[in-house]
Amino acid sequence: MGRSPCCDEVGVKKGPWTPEEDKKLVDYIRENGHGSWRNLPKSAGLNRCGKSCRLRWTNYLRPDIKRGKFTEDEERLIIHLHSVLGNKWSAIATRLAGRTDNEIKNYWNTHLKKKLLLMGIDPVTHRRRTDLDILASSIPGLLAASANLGSWDANALRLQADAAHLAKFQIFQSLVQLVSSAGTPPPMEAMSLLGGTSAPAGLRGCQLGDVLQMNRQLEAVLNGSLGLAQDSMAAATASALPSLTNMELLDSFHTYSDRVIAAEQLNGGDGPDEVNHNIYSSTGHLAAANSTLSSVSAAAATAADDQMMERINSTDASANSSASTAFEAWEGLNPDDDLCWKNILDQISWTNTQ
DNA sequence: AAAGTCCACAACCGCTCCCCA
DNA sequence: TTGGGGAGCGGTTGTGGACTT
């Protein structure tokens, strides 16, 4: 069912609207309502097509439009709604008073999509990414982010190291997950990288089953770490950032924990929607490493690392050896060696293409 | 200071949906 | 039931300003 374009008239103006045109359009609609958009330009004395008038009105001139930056609440809501509705921008816009579909779409494409990618989340599926290319490309950004964390004082050095540690830990976990999801045993070259001369004793010579077990442990640790991080955040930050006041620490902590709690509420607690769980929980480390709260979260998570070990040791005796192995392995890796990362990525890329 | 590059956003294009004769 | 027209939607593009080299 073809239809002729509405803007096929020659001589109809296109491009940016002038203030005079805006005034004509606003005045006309205020006085008469828009009525038929096709007839409006003629009636209003505008040399535009009706479609252009409608877009200008609905996206820019409408009096109930809310201008300005998106708030964190709005961001969170957009991400949540997008996970449910997909690219249904108009449907999403109906849930955000004063925001237009076009504005939300633009904001998604220019900000939120990148934000999610940086957090290691696929903006389409809202699940954690394992794509190697993205993973590999994200490493410099992650490390740069961790390097830019702070310039306050000596404590910043500790925080920077913590954040880098966490970012690399997350990457490592993703790599292990990737190996386990490949369905085939990794090549000896790859395994030898994990257990080779530069690798820690815990990983040396480990088998696929060990890697899978390790991955399960890491998954549990990462997914369970958020609560621990919240529990220990205030104390951890207090010890890591003695130069900040208690009030500043509490503010930082509350900002972060509010986001988490709100995400949980949006989620309906234990509903089927895993989006916010994915975003705020399982990737908590990575988000923390990249967000403005990264320094606080990273310090807290460092303390949480200790508690993770305790939890593993106390709740799953059968996994004790593997879990310990995983962490010993991580501690033994030399994540500051760029060549080490390149080699691991190269080898696992090779695995994935087999 | 100039040139080049990147980024954000307004606006356009083309398609689909829905209503109505 | 069909098809024409209006409106809405999502993807894409163009442009101006900010930033970098």
Side-chain angles (χ1 to χ4, degrees):
Chain A
M1 187 169 67
R3 50 169 281 118
S4 59
C6 74
C7 305
D8 54 355
E9 308 106 281
V10 288
V12 168
K13 191 183 172 196
K14 293 181 181 179
W17 281 63
T18 64
E20 291 75 28
E21 288 176 313
D22 282 347
K23 187 173 185 310
K24 275 186 184 177
L25 183 58
V26 170
D27 288 348
Y28 180 84
I29 291 178
R30 271 190 190 147
E31 200 162 318
N32 308 287
H34 62 71
S36 164
W37 286 110
R38 174 165 276 225
N39 298 328
L40 184 145
K42 205 173 180 181
S43 307
L46 287 161
N47 187 27
R48 295 269 183 176
C49 74
K51 199 170 178 176
S52 179
C53 294
R54 181 175 59 78
L55 280 172
R56 184 64 181 170
W57 174 256
T58 55
N59 288 334
Y60 203 81
L61 298 175
R62 235 173 50 199
D64 57 331
I65 284 178
K66 182 164 133 193
R67 315 298 303 181
K69 284 196 159 192
F70 282 79
T71 65
E72 274 201 16
D73 281 344
E74 286 176 316
E75 274 191 17
R76 207 180 299 137
L77 187 55
I78 292 169
I79 291 170
H80 175 73
L81 290 171
H82 186 271
S83 72
V84 176
L85 301 167
N87 292 359
K88 305 289 181 191
W89 305 116
S90 59
I92 294 172
T94 60
R95 301 282 294 275
L96 282 99
R99 300 293 188 184
T100 69
D101 54 354
N102 204 40
E103 195 179 10
I104 294 169
K105 179 176 61 182
N106 283 332
Y107 190 68
W108 174 267
N109 286 329
T110 55
H111 294 96
L112 295 180
K113 213 154 92 174
K114 289 174 191 168
K115 208 168 182 176
L116 291 181
L117 283 170
L118 203 61
M119 290 162 72
I121 295 163
D122 188 319
V124 178
T125 64
H126 289 257
R127 292 179 179 279
R128 197 182 327 149
R129 297 199 67 141
T130 54
D131 181 278
L132 268 178
D133 292 334
I134 297 298
L135 190 60
S137 67
S138 71
I139 289 175
L142 288 169
L143 300 186
S146 69
N148 288 332
L149 273 182
S151 55
W152 304 323
D153 51 28
N155 289 312
L157 294 173
R158 160 95 191 281
L159 292 173
Q160 181 176 321
D162 287 344
H165 177 88
L166 286 164
K168 290 163 182 172
F169 180 83
Q170 174 75 27
I171 293 164
F172 177 71
Q173 191 269 344
S174 295
L175 291 173
V176 173
Q177 183 181 41
L178 198 73
V179 170
S180 66
S181 65
T184 55
M188 288 309 294
E189 293 88 337
M191 294 312 295
S192 68
L193 260 172
L194 291 173
T197 53
S198 66
L203 272 175
R204 212 161 286 154
C206 65
Q207 301 300 306
L208 179 62
D210 297 324
V211 176
L212 293 174
Q213 176 66 29
M214 184 197 307
N215 183 42
R216 280 193 289 274
Q217 292 299 327
L218 287 166
E219 191 73 38
V221 165
L222 286 172
N223 286 335
S225 64
L226 195 64
L228 291 170
Q230 286 181 78
D231 293 341
S232 59
M233 190 169 291
T237 50
S239 62
L241 297 167
S243 59
L244 294 181
T245 66
N246 287 343
M247 193 58 76
E248 286 168 323
L249 289 170
L250 278 173
D251 281 346
S252 298
F253 169 64
H254 285 144
T255 305
Y256 182 75
S257 58
D258 281 350
R259 291 175 62 178
V260 173
I261 290 163
E264 288 295 322
Q265 286 170 344
L266 265 177
N267 217 11
D270 54 356
D273 177 9
E274 296 178 353
V275 175
N276 289 300
H277 176 77
N278 281 340
I279 293 172
Y280 291 100
S281 181
S282 64
T283 60
H285 281 79
L286 207 54
N290 285 290
S291 74
T292 55
L293 295 163
S294 55
S295 55
V296 174
S297 306
T302 301
D305 277 350
D306 297 333
Q307 293 191 34
M308 289 173 208
M309 285 304 296
E310 284 179 29
R311 176 173 279 193
I312 289 170
N313 290 334
S314 62
T315 59
D316 189 353
S318 68
N320 268 358
S321 58
S322 297
S324 299
T325 299
F327 278 92
E328 284 167 12
W330 172 252
E331 290 301 327
L333 273 174
N334 181 17
D336 293 324
D337 178 2
D338 287 343
L339 192 60
C340 162
W341 287 101
K342 185 180 181 304
N343 287 339
I344 290 174
L345 286 172
D346 286 347
Q347 289 298 330
I348 299 181
S349 294
W350 184 88
T351 308
N352 231 27
T353 57
Q354 297 310 296

